[in-house]
Amino acid sequence: MRSHVPSYEIETPKDLGAALDRMANEPGAWKPFAGGTDLMVLLEAGKLVERRFLNIWKLPELKGIEITSSHVILGALTTYTEVRSSEVLAREFPLLCRAASETGSVATQNRGTLGGNIANASPAADSPPALLAYDAEVEIVSSRGNRWKAYSGFHVGYKAMDLVADELINRIRLLRSKRDWKQHYRKVGTRRAQAVSKVCFAGAARMQQGRIADVRIALGSIAPIVLRATETEKMLTGEKPSPAVRQAAQEMLAREITPIDDIRSTARYRQRVAQNLLVEFLEMLAT
Amino acid sequence: MPEGSGKIQVRCTVNNKAVTFEAYPMARLLDALREELRLTGTKEGCGEGECGACTVEMDGALVNSCLVPAAQVEATKILTIEGVASGERLHAVQQAFITNGGAQCGICTPGMILAAVNLLRRFPEPTEVQIREGLSGNLCRCTGYTKIFESVVAACGESERDA
Ligand code: FES
Ligand code: FES
């Protein structure tokens, strides 16, 4: 049943500074509200617990894609549609573009934002595996200042993040260092459009004379958080993606992930699919 | 339970007309359109962003109006199914849906038409894949989609006249 609409407040701060002051003065009382693609669904289900929201959707400070010689810097409010239509992202960060185009429908992509996807902290989100594969960093702001931190390690447990009550995700930064890496993204869901994933895989590797010189492997929906399979990465580094190595990597991956049974799939299915996607990636590296 | 802040006044443009309505800040654009502005062409299916029955354009971009709170409608331009025709003259997409049997019960139709109109504005000569993707957020329980797809294909050549 829908939540009681009159009991919610939404305030529209005039700029980022005003939003941060609000959050600093009453820590925890105000929750940022961006494109609403997650929060409005909770409202509809009667599960929107917070009562007061800051409408940050139009704040210009959180918008736009900035390109420097070393980085692509995405405002937290960058929508999936904007990700999909960026040429530099298409060229150098195809995993993120794939993730954006496989998230929801056109309408969802117009309103869903990268910052929102991170802050919602769903283990089934589609863009976080891509961000992990690119060693993304997130900039956190508050009225006390700002800090950059590695996105890997930002999610610390189910729906738990390294983000305190007065802090807001400001920007996401990608180092332009992987354009020559071989990259692979695959989302497995019930149907092609509009489905939340059962397993989502993002992989990137730098190959040198047939060997894996450096590699990133990240998955969604296989643990309480979106995860980088660092042990599997370590094991693969320096190896040729031969059948024996693929077999060993599959076994290592199974030890690193902790999929669960839920409404969308089963733990066994998820484990097998995650392993298959890893093999698919490694086979691609061998070609 | 905290009391909330009462209703707010929202000024926006709907189908090229400046309008003002009152709503709770978290009220859905869908309800504001249907109940405050009496524009009942926009339908509700799922109420959670899955079916596309409530699709409208907001500042030129498709949105699910069930997922837009009134507080974010201030100063925007909304296009609903009621604003798609020019007076008595149907938009090419609307005409194509009639000619090709693209509508049956009609619940999905306003959203489908908005999605198709928006698609043809972005891609005047869409590929098959673009059409399928452009409509992928809109569910239909009647037509089996083929006739809807054919309607959009039929509208392609026609729509420049209307744009
Ligand atoms: S009613 Fe809005 S998407 Fe279904
Ligand atoms: S015509 Fe009935 S749902 Fe599409």
Side-chain angles (χ1 to χ4, degrees), chain A residues 92-260:
Chain A
E92 297 178 32
F93 302 96
L95 304 177
L96 190 59
C97 296
R98 277 288 297 281
S101 59
E102 297 205 15
T103 302
S105 61
V106 177
T108 312
Q109 291 169 12
N110 284 336
R111 295 272 295 171
T113 65
L114 281 182
N117 208 207
I118 293 174
N120 187 49
S122 163
D126 297 323
S127 55
L131 295 175
L132 286 176
Y134 291 132
D135 299 313
E137 297 166 289
V138 285
E139 187 190 30
I140 312 294
V141 278
S142 71
S143 58
R144 296 170 286 131
N146 63 329
R147 58 183 175 114
W148 282 99
K149 76 173 301 310
Y151 179 51
S152 175
F154 181 71
H155 298 287
V156 294
Y158 180 69
K159 293 261 175 186
M161 289 165 277
D162 178 9
L163 190 72
V164 295
D166 67 341
E167 290 181 320
L168 189 68
I169 298 169
N170 190 31
R171 296 186 290 174
I172 298 128
R173 177 165 81 178
L174 305 173
L175 188 63
R176 301 176 66 182
S177 62
K178 298 204 171 65
R179 68 191 100 177
D180 300 325
W181 290 39
K182 287 196 171 184
Q183 309 185 18
H184 183 63
Y185 182 89
R186 181 96 185 263
K187 165 178 170 169
V188 176
T190 304
R191 59 194 285 273
R192 240 182 66 60
Q194 283 281 48
V196 177
S197 62
K198 294 171 191 272
V199 178
C200 167
F201 179 99
R206 182 164 61 82
M207 299 301 289
Q208 229 166 30
Q209 280 127 29
R211 286 183 190 279
I212 299 169
D214 204 354
V215 63
R216 301 287 179 279
I217 293 164
L219 297 106
S221 294
I222 45 68
I225 59 173
V226 176
L227 201 73
R228 233 181 92 183
T230 46
E231 294 303 315
T232 309
E233 290 175 359
K234 251 184 250 161
M235 201 211 95
L236 285 167
T237 306
E239 299 289 340
K240 286 196 170 144
S242 65
V245 166
R246 295 203 287 266
Q247 179 64 35
Q250 267 185 305
E251 284 159 23
M252 177 65 87
L253 183 68
R255 288 200 288 277
E256 272 197 275
I257 62 179
T258 51
I260 56 164

Side-chain angles (χ1 to χ4, degrees), chain A residues 66-88:
Chain A
E66 189 192 330
I67 298 160
T68 71
S69 55
S70 58
H71 288 89
V72 175
I73 306 163
L74 305 146
L77 292 180
T78 303
T79 63
Y80 296 111
T81 301
E82 286 161 352
V83 167
R84 288 187 69 177
S85 44
S86 155
E87 277 175 33
V88 57

Side-chain angles (χ1 to χ4, degrees), chain A residues 194, chain B residues 28 30 43-55 64-67 137:
Chain A
Q194 283 281 48
Chain B
R28 307 177 304 171
L30 170 63
K43 304 302 184 211
E44 172 162 16
C46 63
E48 54 180 36
E50 295 284 344
C51 75
C54 66
T55 305
N64 292 321
S65 62
C66 69
L67 299 185

